[in-house]
Amino acid sequence: MTTRFNNLPTLKVDAGEKVPFTYKGKKFYGAKGDTIATALYANGIRIYARSLKYHRPRGFYSMDGECSNTMMEVDGVPNVRTETTYLKPNMVIKEQNVKGSADKDMMGFMDKMDWAMPAGFYYDVMHKPAKIWPIAQKQIRKAAGIGALSPDYIMPGKYDEIYPNCEICVIGGGPAGMTAALAAAESGKRVILMEVRPWLGGNFEYRSAKYADGMSYNERAVQLAKEVEACENIRVFLSTANVGVYNNNLVTGFQIGEEKDVFTERYVEIRANSVVVATGCIERPLLFDNNERPGVMQAGTALRMATTYGLLPGKRAVFSIGHDLGLEAAVTLFDLGMKIEMLADIREDGQDPELEKAIQARGITLLKGWVAATANGRKQVQSVTMTTVDGTVSRDIECDLLVASAGFTPLTGPLVVNQAKLKYDSHTNFFLPTDIPERMYAAGRLLGYEDGASIEASGRVAGYEAIGDAAKADAAKKALSELPGPARGCKLINAPVKGRKSFICFDEDTTIKNVKQSIDKGFDVPELIKRFSGAGLGPGQFGIPGHNLPLYTAKYQAQPEVKIRPTTVRPPLVPTNLATYAGTNHNMFKITPIDDLQKKDGGIFRNIGVWQRARYFSNDLTCKAEIENVRENVGMLDGSTLGKFRIHGPDAEKALQRVYISDMSKCKDGRVKYTAMCNDDGCVIDDGVVIKNGENDYYFTTSTGRAGQTVEWIRYHTRYDGWDFSIVNLTDSMGVINLSGPNARKVLEKVTDTDVSNEGFGFSEYKEFSIGGIPVRAMRLGFVGELSYEFHVPSSYMKSLWLMLWEAGKEFNIMNFGVEAQNVLRMEKCHIILGQETEQRTNLLDAGLGFLWARKLSEWKKVGAVALRQAEGDESRLTLVGFKMENKHRAPRDGALIVDDKVRGYIATARDSFALGEAVGMALVEKHMSKVGTRLSIFEDECNGNLIYGKVVPMPFYDPEGKRMKM
Amino acid sequence: MALTLTCPICGERNGYEFRYGGEEKGPRPEEDGLTPEKWVEYVHMNECKAGVQEEWWFHRDGCGSWFKTFRDTTTNLEQKQEG
């Protein structure tokens, strides 16, 4: 392992603390604070991957994920950007897209095959004849690509989401972002500051050069970060990459969790009044031959590797740069012990005189107007052919590191995805944002400022503008105008070479030659060249080709740059994990108050809507024992999922008149009223019972599935009336026990002194009494067709009541019954379940519930009444019928179709009934088929044309007089 | 995307908390003499305006109230009305 610097103030690694990891099956150590890529670099790894198409060796080039050079498989996850991913103990790291290894790749010969693979070659060659394409595609997929994901891989970790809001959101925690946040925070407004790195400071953070007298850039960054941290109304999101900005200033980001966090990664969605974009710049690659050979590195990357991670990136370096940060990097790296073989600046003039002095003082020769033409060395840089910008003089220089950078590229992504336009600016050589949307501001280096004070001042302007403080903003603008303006950008795009191996896009292996080929084929604008040659379609998006592609296109076509537009940038601005979008996969459901008892009794549970309920109590899915016990003895069902509500207030009855289809003024004390709700099309959406507790005070139930929408529904349909009533959703605070069977009364008599005889508590009556001190609301209903009591009690009493009834019922052979048994029991009685015997189009009349409708009460404007009046007598509608099967024990599947030459209806529910000794069911059929005796031909999925037959019979099937439930 | 709404009780909140309740069409019509055409017009037909429209929203994950507001359907921004 290379020795590291351990005494620099800018360091973010602790070389003393070793972090073990596995690379290609061998154990290595990195330092605490390392990224995966720096840890590998420290261990002498120089070739990280092979490229997509040509399998060229690729190394450490950028540091902010601009290209896929350092993508690797980490812990089974492919395409991890190791240059931005921090090392964790015991990570398992592998190379990808190699046959053999990155160092010795058997596919390496592909690099020499480039003549056979011009831009878009697969469009041209491999479609003639058309049938070879599937074969060719398979081979291309095998040879090209990046990482591969195992299909059964499950992403570990916890994925979270957060939706904060604020007055001002600042994207970018560099000097401009921090000053913008601090300026905005002066107003006391809430500010969110979002930074992709795990620390604040941006491009000041890693620079030890002089910021002002007695202070380095790094010290200034630390000072600003302290101010931000001390400011109570600035909330900082570190390790949070900005992913998108949408209209009305919705800012999204992905945050990487630290060790102490409960999430691995989380989605952050910020609603902000104003947004300040201070994302700064990345470097614009210099185009020369083999410009992506391992050993070639951006100036900022070389500098940060030393100052942040304590690693000297090479021993003998050649610099070919076009900006002052490059010169500063040379000086800093020289001071750290790097030998500088040649320092070439593309610019003929315009260098910072103080930097020039520093370079002279160190005895480094600065050559102006020189540039790298070719990086030599088969797998790593061994020498560089340097040339004058005009290409007339050249010289080979031996080195192990080539620091190359043409200029800067502003990170305008957040502005552009929110519909700002870009316009070429010849002074900075940037595409600068124009038509920036309302309440969005740009600041800092992305506008071209390079002077430290100017960067901060522009942040201050944006901060004051974001809070709408015109006076302070004007003062800040004046201050900014007295400081150095945007710096002049280096204009050179490519070295004077032909460009067969000059890569404009690393991810997609697109060379200058490919761009020329595309243009010559007629793809004359960057957006088309991007599609045809692939430049910019890789994971780094605009990172590498973003500026060079449009600029080179203009140059090759001999057009002025101003006419050229860069390609469109779209969210996500950085590659993101689908797992984070998906969030945590909660299997969320509600449980009833006696869930544990039901489990203990062997309940087999199913998710039904938002609930989990016991569907069966044995592995016999026909539920024979449960059903027969209810018919012969007594059974108990946990019905707590039923929707339960109280509605009260001066206008409560009016509200019920509006939403229920029956005349609700006929609710009588001590009686249970069964009724239904329709929607405005007359389609029945809910049924339940209503109990009058007092004047304008009602208790009512809804089906399980409707409980969540009931309050909203009633309030919606009374929204114009200004009626005064309150609705309380008691669904979760009340439990329900259904005690059914011929022995139900005997059980109940054992636990209460109240008269529960048929005379004292008759069918369809409501009574409040106590069972062993527990206050119960009891109803006599007959859903399952037997003598039946339904007890509504506060949830906290549910368990006690259940156990009391269970104990009392033992001598009568009491048993549980589940949802499926109930389904069969009620089907035999032809009691419908909405959603099973009805669907969205079934109206009240179709379902045979027309008797509920109080048709004369038009003054209440009942929901559904108008449509029902219009649908009445419509012969084209489906109607609910009962049927028996010709083959006595062959029940059709629920949902099977009823057909003749057309589909005429479908089976709602059908079962082989134990009580009746034959298969029966209900079906929705066309009206002309609803007459008793009509033969129904039933088509089941995969029946191979073998229809089964039934015939329409009167309903209900079981106990047609209803004696059993009224006994 | 990025919808923020102002609930009269809870104030400005994330659009995900609300449920859309349709265009403002006035109270339910009188039922006497109501033709099927007029009823369908009231229940199902919408103006689908490209611009500022008055509409109903329900604060589902909040106070549970229905309220009317103006929204520009082309920008998805709520419009504060004067007066």
Side-chain angles (χ1 to χ4, degrees), chain A residues 701-717:
Chain A
T701 66
T702 71
S703 51
T704 300
R706 280 291 297 180
Q709 292 118 287
T710 298
V711 171
E712 177 183 335
W713 183 261
I714 296 177
R715 292 250 171 244
Y716 179 77
H717 286 287

Side-chain angles (χ1 to χ4, degrees), chain A residues 429-624:
Chain A
N429 198 32
F430 281 8
F431 288 98
L432 288 176
T434 63
D435 303 330
I436 297 178
E438 254 182 90
R439 294 177 283 118
M440 198 175 195
Y441 309 90
R445 284 176 82 210
L446 75 86
L447 298 176
Y449 295 107
E450 279 183 23
D451 175 77
S454 307
I455 292 170
E456 289 178 26
S458 85
R460 217 164 283 127
V461 172
Y464 289 134
E465 280 178 330
I467 52 170
D469 192 330
K472 279 186 176 174
D474 286 344
K477 269 183 206 161
K478 193 162 169 288
L480 175 61
S481 68
E482 284 155 15
L483 291 163
R488 201 179 79 192
C490 162
K491 295 238 179 177
L492 187 87
I493 305 156
N494 59 317
V497 287
K498 284 207 171 140
R500 182 176 158 194
K501 294 289 177 193
S502 299
F503 286 82
I504 205 161
C505 176
F506 298 175
D507 294 3
E508 298 280 330
D509 267 355
T510 313
T511 59
I512 286 188
K513 194 178 159 198
N514 295 146
V515 173
K516 287 185 199 166
Q517 286 164 340
S518 305
I519 296 172
D520 294 344
K521 272 188 177 290
F523 300 97
D524 55 348
V525 292
E527 204 71 69
L528 295 176
I529 299 165
K530 173 179 169 182
R531 271 18 173 239
F532 192 71
S533 70
L537 291 176
Q541 275 208 47
F542 53 89
I544 297 293
H547 256 49
N548 280 336
L549 179 65
L551 292 177
Y552 185 78
T553 308
K555 184 176 164 182
Y556 185 64
Q557 292 177 313
Q559 276 184 358
E561 296 103 330
V562 283
K563 283 205 172 160
I564 293 293
R565 291 244 171 83
T567 54
T568 311
V569 172
R570 294 183 181 83
L573 294 170
V574 296
T576 47
N577 284 330
L578 282 178
T580 314
Y581 277 116
T584 304
N585 186 12
H586 295 291
N587 182 16
M588 281 210 295
F589 48 80
K590 297 207 276 188
I591 55 169
T592 70
I594 53 158
D595 182 71
D596 54 339
L597 290 179
Q598 299 263 291
K599 285 214 171 92
K600 213 175 69 193
D601 291 347
I604 298 170
F605 282 72
R606 293 284 181 272
N607 284 2
I608 300 175
V610 296
W611 293 89
Q612 196 177 63
R613 290 188 79 178
R615 176 125 194 212
Y616 312 100
F617 278 92
S618 74
N619 286 320
D620 170 21
L621 301 189
T622 65
C623 302
K624 187 163 194 258

Side-chain angles (χ1 to χ4, degrees), chain A residues 163 246-248 250 269 271 658 680-681 709 712 715-717 719-720 858 861-863 866-867 869-870, chain B residues 1-4 14-16 19 21 24-31 36 39 44 56 58 66 75 77:
Chain A
Y163 298 85
Y246 304 87
N247 89 326
N248 203 10
L250 184 91
E269 185 180 297
R271 267 151 220 277
R658 171 64 51 77
D680 271 323
D681 297 327
Q709 292 118 287
E712 177 183 335
R715 292 250 171 244
Y716 179 77
H717 286 287
R719 70 197 190 282
Y720 289 103
S858 62
K861 299 183 182 173
K862 283 183 179 297
V863 181
V866 177
R869 219 167 281 138
Q870 289 165 6
Chain B
M1 235 327 160
L3 180 64
T4 306
N14 184 336
Y16 298 152
R19 195 205 295 276
E24 160 62 8
K25 298 178 193 174
R28 301 173 78 78
E30 291 304 322
E31 294 187 6
W39 177 245
H44 292 298
W56 285 93
F58 177 67
W66 279 101
T75 59
L77 296 181

Side-chain angles (χ1 to χ4, degrees), chain A residues 5 29 62 83 97 101 114 133 174 200 240 243 253 275 285 360 394 420 434 462 598 738 782 794 806 832 834:
Chain A
F5 306 117
Y29 291 92
S62 60
E83 62 196 49
N97 194 34
S101 70
D114 63 328
W133 173 242
L200 294 172
T240 308
V243 172
V275 172
Q360 262 173 14
S394 69
T434 63
Q598 299 263 291
N738 187 293
W806 190 263
I832 65 164
L834 296 179

Side-chain angles (χ1 to χ4, degrees), chain A residues 739-752:
Chain A
L739 180 73
S740 296
N743 289 332
R745 184 173 292 124
K746 289 183 200 155
V747 176
L748 186 56
E749 275 169 347
K750 278 181 70 182
V751 292
T752 183

Side-chain angles (χ1 to χ4, degrees), chain A residues 790-862:
Chain A
E790 196 167 282
F791 305 114
H792 292 229
V793 289
S795 295
S796 51
Y797 288 128
M798 267 294 278
K799 204 165 171 178
S800 310
L801 181 64
W802 180 276
L803 292 173
M804 224 181 287
L805 291 167
W806 190 263
E807 199 54 39
K810 268 186 181 161
E811 63 176 289
F812 306 106
N813 202 14
I814 199 164
M815 269 175 66
N816 275 297
F817 68 107
V819 179
E820 173 57 21
Q822 185 194 37
N823 186 31
V824 178
L825 289 161
R826 63 91 206 172
M827 186 274 295
E828 291 169 347
K829 275 295 288 179
C830 293
H831 288 151
I832 65 164
I833 290 180
L834 296 179
Q836 200 154 336
E837 273 67 40
T838 66
E839 37 108 344
Q840 287 196 332
R841 295 169 299 176
T842 313
N843 73 22
L844 191 77
L845 308 172
D846 304 339
L849 297 175
F851 65 93
L852 294 174
W853 178 22
R855 61 181 61 217
K856 293 207 176 116
L857 300 180
S858 62
E859 72 271 24
W860 287 115
K861 299 183 182 173
K862 283 183 179 297

Side-chain angles (χ1 to χ4, degrees), chain A residues 116-407:
Chain A
M117 295 183 281
F121 71 101
Y122 36 87
Y123 298 124
D124 277 351
V125 192
M126 292 177 177
H127 286 284
K128 292 171 213 155
K131 65 182 165 205
I132 68 161
W133 173 242
I135 306 159
Q137 189 186 33
K138 229 182 188 173
Q139 293 309 316
I140 290 178
R141 287 213 173 137
K142 244 191 241 169
I146 36 179
L149 182 67
S150 154
D152 52 5
Y153 182 77
I154 293 170
M155 191 93 167
K158 284 185 177 164
Y159 299 90
D160 206 352
E161 52 201 86
I162 182 173
Y163 298 85
N165 62 55
C166 62
E167 269 86 35
I168 298 98
C169 175
V170 181
I171 305 170
M178 287 195 285
T179 45
L182 287 166
E186 283 173 21
S187 63
K189 290 182 173 169
R190 292 168 309 144
V191 179
I192 285 179
L193 180 58
M194 204 176 191
E195 167 57 41
V196 65
R197 292 186 192 143
W199 50 79
L200 294 172
N203 86 315
F204 279 15
E205 223 289 328
Y206 54 85
R207 292 161 65 188
S208 49
K210 196 179 97 178
Y211 162 79
D213 285 335
M215 188 184 261
S216 71
Y217 281 110
N218 170 256
E219 282 159 352
R220 176 62 180 159
V222 172
Q223 189 180 42
L224 281 170
K226 273 188 187 147
E227 281 179 47
V228 167
E229 274 148 29
C231 188
E232 278 180 0
N233 50 331
I234 302 179
R235 184 175 180 186
V236 181
F237 282 86
L238 293 175
S239 305
T240 308
N242 174 234
V243 172
V245 181
Y246 304 87
N247 89 326
N248 203 10
N249 288 336
L250 184 91
V251 181
T252 59
F254 278 68
Q255 186 176 19
I256 313 283
E258 287 174 41
E259 233 165 279
K260 63 177 168 50
D261 288 320
V262 294
F263 55 89
T264 315
E265 204 172 319
R266 79 174 166 186
Y267 171 67
V268 183
E269 185 180 297
I270 300 164
R271 267 151 220 277
N273 252 325
S274 359
V275 172
V276 176
V277 180
T279 38
C281 288
I282 51 175
E283 278 175 55
R284 183 161 65 81
L286 178 64
L287 300 177
F288 56 96
D289 275 352
N290 302 330
N291 56 336
E292 32 64 274
R293 182 112 309 164
V296 180
M297 205 177 272
Q298 290 181 344
T301 307
L303 182 56
R304 283 162 67 191
M305 198 184 282
T307 57
T308 307
Y309 298 99
L311 290 165
L312 208 53
K315 290 193 176 81
R316 302 161 63 197
V318 170
F319 277 65
S320 173
I321 43 84
H323 49 71
D324 284 349
L325 187 68
L327 299 178
E328 187 188 311
V331 172
T332 307
L333 288 168
F334 178 90
D335 291 348
L336 289 170
M338 187 186 273
K339 189 156 184 251
I340 298 189
E341 299 287 352
M342 185 173 184
L343 174 53
D345 193 331
I346 301 159
R347 301 170 296 176
E348 297 281 0
D349 53 26
Q351 288 84 352
D352 179 1
E354 276 195 46
L355 273 171
E356 275 200 71
K357 252 185 256 165
I359 290 162
Q360 262 173 14
R362 282 159 181 82
I364 307 167
T365 324
L366 174 63
L367 287 180
K368 296 178 186 175
W370 277 68
V371 65
T374 311
N376 308 309
R378 218 160 56 85
K379 284 180 187 167
Q380 280 185 53
V381 172
Q382 282 163 349
S383 73
V384 185
T385 308
M386 298 296 293
T387 164
T388 50
V389 169
D390 58 13
T392 50
V393 183
S394 69
R395 187 159 304 167
D396 277 13
I397 296 157
E398 280 187 23
C399 64
D400 62 356
L401 176 74
L402 170 57
V403 177
S405 172

